[in-house]
Amino acid sequence: MSVIELEGVEQRFHARGTPDGYLTALKDATFTLHSDPPQIVSLVGQSGSGKSTIARNILGLQKPTAGLIKYDGKDIFKLSRAENDNYRRNVQPVFQDPYSIFNPFYRVDRVLWKAVKKFNLTRDRAKGLAMIEESLNAVSLDPANVLGRYPHQLSGGQRQRIMLARIHMLRPEFVIADEPVSMLDAQIRKTFLDILLDFRRDHGMTTLFITHDLSTVYYLGGDVMVINKGSIVERGAVTSVMHEPSHPYTRLLLDSIPPPDPDQRWTNRIEVDDSGDQTPATAPQEPVV
């Protein structure tokens, strides 16, 4: 079993005009992801709450100002070259924007072939092609319709699923998915989420799913952490947090979801207390007459 541990992670950025000369994006982030049993953990919060900062820290793209991020007990920023290569293979990202993932000058095949070569999956081209086609089929893509094409010739959903096909080939222990469905339509979004659930069930992959959308959190199930202004303010099973939230900010997020009834309308504004304890104003939802 492999484990990713965050211990008191803090991230500060220099910022002019602030009292201390810096902005704190992340405060004392402490949690654990484990690969056995595989899990889906959602990290939910509004834009600017620190979600993507956590993703960059875990992926090693940004070293935290304070605290530790450990993989199997070792600081990820002090791994040997071989250990770092192993970490890179076993902790794979899916980013938000399917339009900026690919170099527009190359066919999309290049992303898949580079994974084959970089991680030494095979040296036989026929076997490599078979692996690529198998992984494309696993994410509901027809190889004949996507291989050989340029990024602009594919939809955003197809591009995101190609990144999932890359993950399928590598079989990592952990997937760090940073707002991966925010730019996809509803049907493709469901397909994407179902693939993540399949990855957990069939290949034992643990996913940290970062989002602002509570509906996708509820669909995925598992556990959830709620982050506000850089601090994780609530955590627990999705069902318990969604139905019995204990923190005012979590209740605010839930109250911001419109009811699935066209006859129901918000009649008042929701007020946010910027001091940290955020509570919604009473917002009765009355039928429109």
Side-chain angles (χ1 to χ4, degrees):
M1 177 181 74
S2 292
V3 177
I4 295 176
E5 301 168 276
L6 276 71
E7 299 179 355
V9 173
E10 182 175 308
Q11 187 70 63
R12 297 192 302 269
F13 299 99
H14 292 291
R16 293 181 178 178
T18 58
D20 299 322
Y22 61 83
L23 176 68
T24 300
L26 203 58
K27 310 171 189 175
D28 192 28
T30 300
F31 62 88
T32 300
L33 302 172
H34 52 75
S35 63
D36 188 15
Q39 56 182 166
I40 289 183
V41 178
S42 296
L43 179 65
V44 62
Q46 66 189 35
S47 297
S49 60
K51 305 186 304 295
S52 294
T53 299
I54 286 180
R56 290 194 298 270
N57 288 156
I58 293 175
L59 293 168
L61 301 177
Q62 187 170 61
K63 187 175 181 178
T65 308
L68 289 174
I69 302 173
K70 298 192 292 187
Y71 176 66
D72 290 345
K74 296 183 178 180
D75 185 343
I76 68 168
F77 293 96
K78 296 181 179 179
L79 298 176
S80 67
R81 182 171 181 176
E83 290 170 337
N84 187 64
D85 287 345
N86 179 60
Y87 183 73
R88 297 295 180 190
R89 173 165 181 169
N90 281 301
V91 183
Q92 285 289 311
V94 183
F95 295 114
Q96 176 180 9
D97 187 358
Y99 300 94
S100 63
I101 292 169
F102 298 90
N103 187 325
F105 293 100
Y106 295 101
R107 292 179 173 88
V108 296
D109 313 35
R110 185 172 184 263
V111 168
L112 303 172
W113 279 111
K114 282 183 72 68
V116 172
K117 295 175 182 177
K118 178 176 177 59
F119 296 104
N120 298 315
L121 302 184
T122 182
R123 294 186 178 182
D124 184 279
R125 186 165 183 84
K127 290 181 180 178
L129 180 58
M131 292 175 64
I132 289 172
E133 291 178 343
E134 177 190 358
S135 293
L136 289 171
N137 285 318
V139 298
S140 303
L141 287 175
D142 183 354
N145 289 336
V146 296
L147 294 179
R149 292 178 177 263
Y150 288 93
H152 70 273
Q153 296 176 305
L154 302 178
S155 69
Q158 287 174 315
R159 283 187 285 243
Q160 284 292 60
R161 280 182 286 162
I162 286 175
M163 298 311 296
L164 288 179
R166 183 180 184 275
I167 287 173
H168 182 271
M169 284 196 304
L170 296 175
R171 304 290 205 279
E173 297 170 317
F174 300 95
V175 178
I176 310 300
D178 186 8
E179 295 274 14
V181 298
S182 63
M183 299 180 70
L184 306 180
D185 62 44
Q187 182 58 44
I188 299 301
R189 186 176 303 180
K190 179 182 181 300
T191 300
F192 188 100
L193 298 177
D194 286 340
I195 292 169
L196 291 181
L197 292 170
D198 290 344
F199 282 178
R200 180 187 60 178
R201 183 193 64 212
D202 299 335
H203 305 295
M205 298 183 201
T206 285
T207 296
L208 177 64
F209 186 83
I210 298 170
T211 185
H212 65 275
D213 184 357
L214 288 170
S215 63
T216 58
V217 172
Y218 195 80
Y219 185 83
L220 286 171
D223 294 327
V224 62
M225 298 182 293
V226 180
I227 186 170
N228 178 37
K229 296 182 179 179
S231 297
I232 296 173
V233 297
E234 187 165 0
R235 65 184 75 194
V238 166
T239 50
S240 62
V241 171
M242 298 281 269
H243 293 295
E244 297 179 359
S246 61
H247 194 274
Y249 178 71
T250 308
R251 293 196 291 270
L252 175 69
L253 288 178
L254 291 169
D255 287 340
S256 69
I257 301 174
D261 185 344
D263 291 331
Q264 297 291 321
R265 295 287 190 272
W266 280 314
T267 58
N268 292 342
R269 294 176 63 85
I270 293 179
E271 297 178 358
V272 180
D273 178 5
D274 202 37
S275 64
D277 287 335
Q278 298 179 329
T279 55
T282 55
Q285 297 167 345
E286 301 173 351
V288 176
V289 179

